[in-house]
Amino acid sequence: MPTKHIGQPYDRSDARDKVLGRATYTAEHLVPDLLHGHVISSKIACGRITHLNTDHALKIPGVIAVLSHKTDFKTARFDLSYKDMDSPPGSPFRPFSTPEVKFAMQPIALVVAESTELARYAARLVEVTYEVDPHNTDLMGSLSESKAGKGLRAGVESPSNRGDFRAAYNKSEVQTSSDYLHPSQHHNPMEMHASIVHYHDEKSLTIYDKTQGVKNSQHYVTMAFGLRKKNVRVLSPFVGGAFGSGLRPQYQLFLATLAALELKRSVKVQLTRPQMFSFGHRPKTHQTVSLGASRDGKINAIFHHAVGETSRFEDYIENVATWAAKLYDAENVEQQYRIVPLDTYTPLDMRAPGGASGLYALECAMDELATELKMDPLDLRLKNYSEEDPSAGKPFSSKALKECFAQGSTRFGWDSRHQRTDTPYGKHRGSGMATGIWDALQFPTRAAATLASDLKLEIRIATADIGTGTYTIMKQIAAEELGLPTESVDAKLGDTDFPFAFIQGGSATAASVGSAVRKACRKVQKQLLKEAGKMKNSPFQHADIDDVVFEDGLLKRKDDPQMQTSLKQIFADRDIDQIDKKCTWTPNLLKQRKYSMNTHSAVFVEVEVDADVGFVSVERVVVAVAAGRILNPKTARSQILGGVVWGISMALHEESYMDNSLGRFINHDFANYHIPVNADIKDIEVIFVEEDDTVVNPLGVKGLGEIGLVGVPAAVANAVFDATGKRVRELPITPDKLFAEP
Amino acid sequence: MRPFKYNRPLDLATASNAGTSGSFIAGGTNLLDLMKCDVEQPSQLVDLNHLGLGSISETADGGLELGALATNTTTAYHPIVQERYPILSRAILAGASPQLRNKATNGGNLLQRTRCPYFFDTDSPCNKRVPGSGCPAKEGYSKLHAILGASDSCIATHPSDMCVALRALDATIRVSGPHGERRIEFADFHRLPGDQPEIETSLEKGEVITAILLPADGFADNFAYFKVRERASYAFALVSVAAVARLEGNQLKEGRVALGGVAAKPWRDLEAESLLCDQPCNAETFGNFADALLQSAKTYPGNRFKVPMARAAIVRALSEATHLNQL
Ligand SMILES: Cc1cc2nc3c(=O)[nH]c(=O)nc-3n(C[C@H](O)[C@H](O)[C@H](O)COP(=O)(O)OP(=O)(O)OC[C@H]3O[C@@H](n4cnc5c(N)ncnc54)[C@H](O)[C@@H]3O)c2cc1C
Ligand code: SF4
């Protein structure tokens, strides 16, 4: 329920700065005497460098150095020193450590020059010869070589099984089984990855890095280069999108640091758009979903098997095949996720990693079953609705999915969807729906708050705002707690000098950072109350924190609001300049252990298909989201809109095309890597079904970064089927696929 | 980017001369991209923007002359183009984005290079970029690639929308070079790849396109430009069709169809077009024509879909041009 600041549709507090170009992004920071590095990317996918001739490049005036595996430099020896907060099990890639090439576009040299143009030009003059080994980048040709991934990683769980799928499936009255495929995709935030390393001396650096977690970058750099944390400050106050690409420190950070330390100069390295296709991506994944049900639509057997790609050096796994067991109450469930090591870079969490992929297949399979049963797809979902989480044997902390179905379908007009008659000539309309689910994660987070005597409040946390609205909600929560206007609150983030926060991912930030802000502010409250109690004739002498409220810059007694004092007065009377508080917030694991915590969504989509040529247009999306309490309906809606656009993009547009004979992603620019343009995005309606959840955290917040996306690709694919009668089981559903010869 | 000299001539003769050892630049929307990718490496840029070639005017024979340096936007929104040559306006506006069209010129549009991704990626083989290095598109990414008139050495397409309409209108191109002025029929302007895919047009070194000449008949009553692409805007054509027709009642007297996205040049088949002569306007006529036109199509693993798609698009465009759906 909205209160004074929480739940109010505040504008994004950094919006004006962004629009006016005053928000400084990583590559824009001005550092004196800066050198510029340009990365040379490997032409081959597998093999080794035999010669690297830099003579021509170094002859150009203004070119300072060319660094490569031939450079004699010292970094840490063991893999452990290269691990970051999001590393999968394995040996992290170390640039320039050997002449070996493990993937196409691997960084093999860095040209450093006085300007970026010079560096780029000189890079063309470096001659590289290779010894080429055969490569394999073909997932579909290698499915039989799949293996189980070893080890785990934050947020990744093992697929669970129950009952006996095979036996139950064989006995089922109705059986459906289909294979689904989606391609690799790259995050491609608008802002290219960049790092500026401001060199102070061989031990101390200030680094601007495009990252989703400054502490992660700091950890990586200090470990890899043997530096001390107190001497390496990493800043990233504004991030031009990331979607997961900044969850791991990318190689430009390593290279810029290496160059700065080697050359004893400040260095900037910014990747090009094609190079944005040279590191982590959503893995291409092949999935099989089989469902066994009775004639009346009760599902008793679910099989969800996924095989995704990984690199030769790390076992990247994600939660692709874990959702069916949570969403549906079938008694027999078999889920499995396997990986195939290929000669590519390690995949990397990309918005709703695993969920976007897994729910695409699962929710299309549900639609196929509904078709087979001649049952309304929504009824099928209701019939198999899990009230509790059968995969964990625990209740959900809250699950308003039924309400999402109800509100979403009403708003969409689901029941009258086939009564339309106004479809233009040659076009077919169709509707589809799907369910979305995502985790309500949270991580321990620290925060600092400083309240000055003029009632300016500053909140500091080393978290990130990758465009999600973190700054804005930090201010709202702090303002709410201390009864101040949001304009009095300054939120600061993206700086390792601030207290610890985990990388911004997994939709965990609003809940974790928000809770830490609240806790820090509560500490300030207590101090204020204590000081007020010491004032002359204070009505607050023996007051408990629960007996008072902070409102409009005043401290008031709840039982008698006339008994009040202004906060300013407290500072004046007590002769204090400011109050400083720090805190560590940790999720209440004791309480949480008894529950499964998830967000849910119901997605309804209407498409129009130009059947002559296979062109799909998403005319209308209604998405109802249950994600706890909504801190700010405006920024929340933006998150969901963005998620829906991503879902449409995944369904219809995005594909990193791997040319298996060259072993390269070949469409590595925005002319050929398609995302929707404005004209592709029409009506999107977002409904929030608020949940009162006291388990997740005291704020009741679950996180919205990913729930807007999951569910959408399947709903679009299902609508395309409804419109055309064609099941395209391979994303993206581009015109060529609707034309594919049988 | 490699260093280059910049030259801004003020008359055609100087420009032509300079052009023999450099590259012309007009809007730069294609050339600069290719220079950044290191695909084009001119040592000198010769800027054509100061030669007074930007006007659009009516010609003595009742046609229209489009200055080579007039922008795509100016051309598409020119009142005479909109009124008498709506298909040209439609085709231009189906391409690129407003920002690009504001900068892109008519001459540059004719000479824009293929969008084959291997051509742009200097770490991939490509016969057009490095003759003899191979053509990975044939077995690889070939959605945007040719099904007509291609060769074993290259299956790239010409990506322009504007040119498809110009081909249907039978435009003529006026060029001026070191040896004076000449005119080139649109049909002869772009070349098929053969075994020299690096040579794309019949322009000689140093020749500047000065204008595009449109004949008097713009088929304003019976035209269609139909573009199939992967998103609603800002994507190159998988297949595009410019269709114009002359009707007498429900009888088709003449029909012309140019295809984009299927060959190294806007594709027309005059022999097949005879099937549109003195025929009833119906789906069967259009389908027969499409089948004849596509008879010699040759596909690759990544672009088999283009034949049925082109067929559907042709029937659709002709139906629209002849108002068949409203008949
Ligand atoms: C992202 C993107 C999307 C696009 N989408 C489309 C699309 O959907 N459809 C479409 O049709 N086009 C599309 N375009 C291409 C655009 O139309 C061309 O880039 C533009 O028309 C080129 O014109 P220009 O004046 O900028 O040419 P420039 O880049 O200046 O020149 C291109 C070439 O023509 C030569 N040249 C230019 N003028 C002359 C002249 N008068 N005489 C002799 N030589 C000359 C130059 O030397 C150069 O080789 C797209 C471009 C981009 C970047
Ligand atoms: S189709 Fe032509 S441009 Fe493309 S790779 Fe082959 S030769 Fe090069």
Side-chain angles (χ1 to χ4, degrees):
Chain A
M1 303 325 101
T3 47
K4 177 125 184 155
H5 299 290
I6 294 180
Q8 300 299 340
Y10 277 101
D11 287 344
R12 197 178 283 251
S13 64
D14 48 346
R16 221 181 141 70
D17 283 343
K18 285 187 170 170
V19 171
L20 293 176
R22 289 193 303 229
T24 311
Y25 291 92
T26 295
E28 300 170 338
H29 288 276
L30 297 176
V31 167
D33 290 328
L34 190 61
L35 293 176
H36 301 259
H38 183 79
V39 178
I40 300 180
S41 307
S42 162
K43 178 178 176 150
I44 63 164
C46 200
R48 63 207 52 77
I49 300 161
T50 49
H51 293 288
L52 196 124
N53 181 353
T54 58
D55 294 352
H56 298 301
L58 288 171
K59 275 201 199 106
I60 311 269
V63 176
I64 309 290
V66 180
L67 305 176
S68 68
H69 68 280
K70 288 163 78 179
T71 311
D72 185 22
F73 61 87
K74 265 213 180 61
T75 47
R77 277 178 59 198
F78 299 109
D79 277 345
L80 190 62
S81 308
Y82 297 85
K83 296 261 183 191
D84 60 82
M85 293 178 188
D86 197 33
S87 290
S91 303
F93 168 64
R94 299 187 203 179
F96 300 178
S97 58
T98 71
E100 297 298 311
V101 173
K102 295 172 175 164
F103 56 94
M105 296 185 86
Q106 174 179 320
I108 53 168
L110 182 77
V111 181
V112 185
E114 297 288 353
S115 75
T116 181
E117 291 78 9
L118 259 184
R120 201 162 168 169
Y121 165 47
R124 300 287 182 192
L125 306 178
V126 173
E127 295 157 1
V128 190
T129 40
Y130 303 89
E131 186 178 301
V132 182
D133 288 342
H135 63 260
N136 178 18
T137 53
D138 180 14
L139 176 76
M140 290 310 286
S142 318
L143 289 179
S144 59
E145 289 156 37
S146 74
K147 59 167 194 178
K150 56 175 188 291
L152 282 176
R153 184 166 73 92
V156 177
E157 50 184 280
S158 310
S160 71
N161 295 313
R162 59 178 180 255
D164 180 347
F165 162 76
R166 190 53 57 193
Y169 182 73
N170 287 342
K171 278 190 286 188
S172 297
E173 288 172 334
V174 180
Q175 300 162 343
T176 57
S177 183
S178 294
D179 290 353
Y180 303 88
L181 184 66
H182 71 78
S184 311
Q185 299 161 348
H186 283 82
H187 309 70
N188 272 311
M190 186 122 79
E191 179 198 23
M192 253 74 82
H193 275 254
S195 302
I196 296 177
V197 177
H198 187 170
Y199 180 87
H200 306 300
D201 60 54
E202 62 199 13
K203 290 190 188 124
S204 55
L205 310 170
T206 301
I207 300 177
Y208 299 94
D209 186 35
K210 179 188 173 93
T211 175
Q212 289 173 253
V214 283
K215 295 278 185 184
N216 197 24
S217 300
Q218 182 194 41
H219 173 81
Y220 176 81
V221 163
T222 51
M223 293 295 283
F225 290 94
L227 300 167
R228 303 189 53 187
K229 284 210 165 109
K230 69 176 171 59
N231 297 329
V232 177
R233 182 179 177 197
V234 181
L235 294 136
S236 189
F238 292 102
V239 182
F243 313 114
S245 67
L247 286 174
R248 299 188 69 184
Q250 299 304 352
Y251 61 76
Q252 90 284 344
L253 174 63
F254 181 96
L255 298 183
T257 309
L258 175 68
L261 292 173
E262 285 299 306
L263 304 172
K264 304 193 185 316
R265 294 275 305 268
S266 297
V267 178
K268 163 155 96 179
V269 178
Q270 184 172 18
L271 302 187
T272 62
R273 181 58 66 188
Q275 286 168 344
M276 293 298 288
F277 290 76
S278 66
F279 53 91
H281 52 274
R282 193 193 296 286
K284 180 169 187 162
T285 308
H286 176 266
Q287 303 180 63
T288 304
V289 183
S290 311
L291 301 173
S294 56
R295 270 272 148 236
D296 65 352
K298 188 73 209 158
I299 300 172
N300 47 28
I302 302 180
F303 175 81
H304 189 176
H305 184 146
V307 185
E309 51 175 339
T310 190
S311 66
R312 300 262 184 220
F313 42 95
E314 286 170 316
D315 280 4
Y316 174 87
I317 46 178
E318 54 182 24
N319 293 337
V320 179
T322 52
W323 308 103
K326 266 187 208 300
L327 266 182
Y328 301 114
D329 63 358
E331 276 169 19
N332 305 284
V333 179
E334 186 177 325
Q335 304 182 122
Q336 200 176 47
Y337 183 63
R338 293 174 71 80
I339 47 178
V340 177
L342 297 171
D343 296 302
T344 63
Y345 191 76
T346 312
L348 172 62
D349 292 326
M350 179 161 150
R351 202 166 189 182
S357 324
L359 284 154
Y360 154 61
L362 176 65
E363 289 298 290
C364 284
M366 288 294 285
D367 203 65
E368 299 207 30
L369 178 63
T371 306
E372 188 65 31
L373 292 164
K374 298 191 173 53
M375 188 170 176
D376 185 318
L378 177 53
D379 292 341
L380 179 65
R381 281 158 177 99
L382 288 170
K383 177 124 192 155
N384 297 283
Y385 191 90
S386 64
E387 296 288 354
E388 299 207 329
D389 176 1
S391 68
K394 298 174 190 174
F396 288 102
S397 61
S398 56
K399 178 178 177 180
L401 177 59
K402 262 191 189 147
E403 192 54 30
C404 290
F405 283 141
Q407 291 192 27
S409 63
T410 307
R411 198 69 211 151
F412 183 82
W414 179 251
D415 291 337
S416 55
R417 67 191 181 280
H418 288 135
Q419 290 163 20
R420 298 186 51 110
T421 50
D422 56 342
T423 306
Y425 173 83
K427 314 245 169 137
H428 300 248
R429 291 257 175 172
S431 302
M433 58 103 27
T435 306
I437 176 171
W438 189 249
D439 295 320
L441 292 175
Q442 37 219 297
F443 304 111
T445 305
R446 309 186 64 188
T450 301
L451 181 64
S453 55
D454 61 357
L455 301 192
K456 293 281 181 228
L457 174 65
E458 187 180 275
I459 308 289
R460 299 176 298 277
I461 304 184
T463 184
D465 185 336
I466 53 175
T468 45
T470 313
Y471 279 114
T472 315
I473 58 151
M474 281 171 73
K475 289 187 185 190
Q476 286 178 254
I477 295 167
E480 179 85 31
E481 291 299 324
L482 287 167
L484 299 170
T486 48
E487 299 81 56
S488 306
V489 186
D490 193 9
K492 294 199 156 157
L493 51 76
D495 184 341
T496 48
D497 280 358
F498 301 156
F500 178 88
F502 199 63
I503 37 182
Q504 182 167 51
S507 298
T509 301
S512 315
V513 166
S515 298
V517 171
R518 179 176 182 272
K519 186 164 178 185
C521 291
R522 296 244 151 152
K523 281 191 146 177
V524 175
Q525 283 182 349
K526 282 195 184 137
Q527 185 68 34
L528 282 168
L529 179 61
K530 201 162 137 197
E531 298 294 344
K534 292 181 190 160
M535 288 161 72
K536 225 189 271 161
N537 301 328
S538 172
F540 301 102
Q541 247 173 31
H542 302 290
D544 192 77
I545 196 76
D546 296 329
D547 303 332
V548 298
V549 286
F550 291 80
E551 251 174 28
D552 307 325
L554 303 170
L555 169 63
K556 300 179 187 170
R557 283 182 65 129
K558 277 185 192 160
D559 55 2
D560 182 0
Q562 293 311 318
M563 304 277 250
Q564 52 168 255
T565 172
S566 81
L567 301 187
K568 277 199 174 138
Q569 198 60 45
I570 303 177
F571 278 96
D573 272 29
R574 299 293 304 150
D575 195 21
I576 34 181
D577 296 334
Q578 60 182 50
I579 294 174
D580 278 301
K581 289 291 168 194
K582 284 202 175 105
C583 76
T584 302
W585 177 81
T586 40
N588 183 347
L589 295 177
L590 272 171
K591 193 167 174 187
Q592 293 188 348
R593 218 171 45 191
K594 298 181 203 127
Y595 298 89
S596 285
M597 299 177 297
N598 291 91
T599 52
H600 292 88
S601 68
V603 189
F604 300 86
V605 167
E606 181 175 327
V607 297
E608 185 176 281
V609 181
D610 187 332
D612 281 355
V613 292
F615 185 79
V616 180
S617 159
V618 176
E619 296 293 306
R620 214 155 58 88
V621 179
V622 174
V623 54
V625 176
R629 186 176 183 197
I630 300 305
L631 290 170
N632 177 333
K634 194 165 190 172
T635 53
R637 180 171 173 273
S638 295
Q639 276 295 297
I640 301 301
L641 289 181
V644 171
V645 173
W646 266 64
I648 293 173
S649 191
M650 181 168 172
L652 301 181
H653 302 290
E654 274 182 75
E655 168 168 23
S656 297
Y657 183 95
M658 171 56 82
D659 182 307
N660 285 320
S661 74
L662 298 175
R664 303 169 72 74
F665 290 114
I666 195 63
N667 56 337
H668 45 50
D669 59 37
F670 273 146
N672 284 311
Y673 184 87
H674 283 177
I675 54 174
V677 296
N678 203 36
D680 291 296
I681 302 302
K682 299 184 175 165
D683 222 16
I684 303 175
E685 192 172 337
V686 182
I687 299 168
F688 288 112
V689 177
E690 290 212 32
E691 297 167 316
D692 185 12
D693 192 323
T694 53
V695 175
V696 279
N697 50 60
L699 281 167
V701 171
K702 283 182 172 175
L704 291 165
E706 277 133 321
I707 188 65
L709 158 57
V710 294
V712 177
V716 173
N718 295 340
V720 169
F721 170 76
D722 190 47
T724 63
K726 271 191 191 153
R727 280 276 175 209
V728 177
R729 298 188 182 89
E730 185 181 340
L731 297 184
I733 306 174
T734 41
D736 55 312
K737 302 229 178 69
L738 282 171
F739 260 91
E741 285 153 324
Chain B
M1 216 188 257
R2 294 172 194 256
F4 56 86
K5 290 207 192 71
Y6 173 74
N7 186 339
R8 183 195 281 176
L10 297 174
D11 64 84
L12 255 177
T14 317
S16 284
N17 274 333
T20 52
S21 61
S23 280
F24 296 125
I25 183 162
T29 59
N30 188 222
L31 184 61
L32 286 177
D33 278 3
L34 291 167
M35 286 168 69
K36 287 187 207 162
C37 300
D38 212 33
V39 173
E40 303 259 20
Q41 305 169 356
S43 56
Q44 186 187 178
L45 285 187
V46 182
D47 190 339
L48 300 178
N49 285 288
H50 305 273
L51 304 175
L53 297 174
S55 61
I56 295 178
S57 53
E58 288 181 275
T59 57
D61 64 356
L64 195 66
E65 175 174 328
L66 309 171
L69 273 289
T71 67
N72 281 178
T73 300
T74 310
T75 308
Y77 293 116
H78 193 279
I80 299 178
V81 174
Q82 287 191 311
E83 193 192 314
R84 286 177 41 207
Y85 306 93
I87 190 171
L88 179 61
S89 179
R90 204 64 79 73
I92 294 173
L93 296 178
S97 66
Q99 295 91 328
L100 281 160
R101 296 193 297 263
N102 286 342
K103 207 64 195 135
T105 65
N106 293 336
N109 196 309
L110 262 49
L111 289 172
Q112 63 175 297
R113 307 202 65 188
T114 185
R115 287 284 157 174
C116 171
Y118 302 97
F119 175 70
F120 272 77
D121 179 27
T122 50
D123 282 336
S124 294
C126 167
N127 285 330
K128 191 190 270 300
R129 185 167 29 75
V130 182
S133 60
C135 173
K138 285 186 294 181
E139 295 300 317
Y141 183 96
S142 57
K143 272 184 187 189
L144 294 172
H145 293 68
I147 52 171
L148 289 162
S151 72
D152 229 26
S153 54
C154 178
I155 61 168
T157 50
H158 191 263
S160 168
D161 289 293
M162 180 184 185
C163 290
V164 184
L166 290 174
R167 180 70 186 98
L169 291 172
D170 270 339
T172 307
I173 294 158
R174 196 172 66 213
V175 304
S176 169
H179 308 298
E181 202 177 273
R182 65 181 178 120
R183 289 175 183 221
I184 307 172
E185 290 304 315
F186 206 87
D188 304 326
F189 185 74
H190 295 102
R191 279 183 79 252
L192 291 177
D195 50 13
Q196 281 184 301
E198 69 281 10
I199 305 175
E200 295 168 354
T201 67
S202 53
L203 271 191
E204 307 273 346
K205 207 66 196 143
E207 278 186 322
V208 178
I209 300 175
T210 53
I212 298 165
L213 305 169
L214 302 180
D217 192 350
F219 295 88
D221 294 329
N222 292 99
F223 75 93
Y225 187 74
F226 185 65
K227 178 176 180 178
V228 188
R229 51 186 152 183
E230 291 191 334
R231 57 185 171 193
S233 166
Y234 204 39
F236 291 95
L238 295 170
V239 173
S240 68
V241 186
V244 295
R246 204 183 315 283
L247 294 176
E248 255 171 37
N250 185 28
Q251 192 76 358
L252 198 53
K253 285 286 142 202
E254 181 193 357
R256 299 184 196 168
V257 172
L259 295 189
V262 297
K265 60 193 292 186
W267 192 262
R268 257 182 85 180
D269 185 332
L270 301 183
E271 205 179 302
E273 280 175 20
S274 65
L275 296 174
L276 298 174
C277 228
D278 296 318
Q279 294 293 322
C281 256
N282 58 35
E284 196 190 332
T285 304
F286 303 155
N288 288 341
F289 162 74
D291 290 336
L293 188 149
L294 293 165
Q295 202 177 18
S296 60
K298 176 172 178 344
T299 60
Y300 299 85
N303 72 8
R304 299 221 161 93
F305 68 92
K306 278 192 160 184
V307 175
M309 180 180 281
R311 188 185 192 281
I314 291 168
V315 173
R316 180 81 159 257
L318 279 168
S319 306
E320 207 180 297
T322 57
H323 311 298
L324 183 64
N325 306 327
Q326 288 98 0
L327 289 180

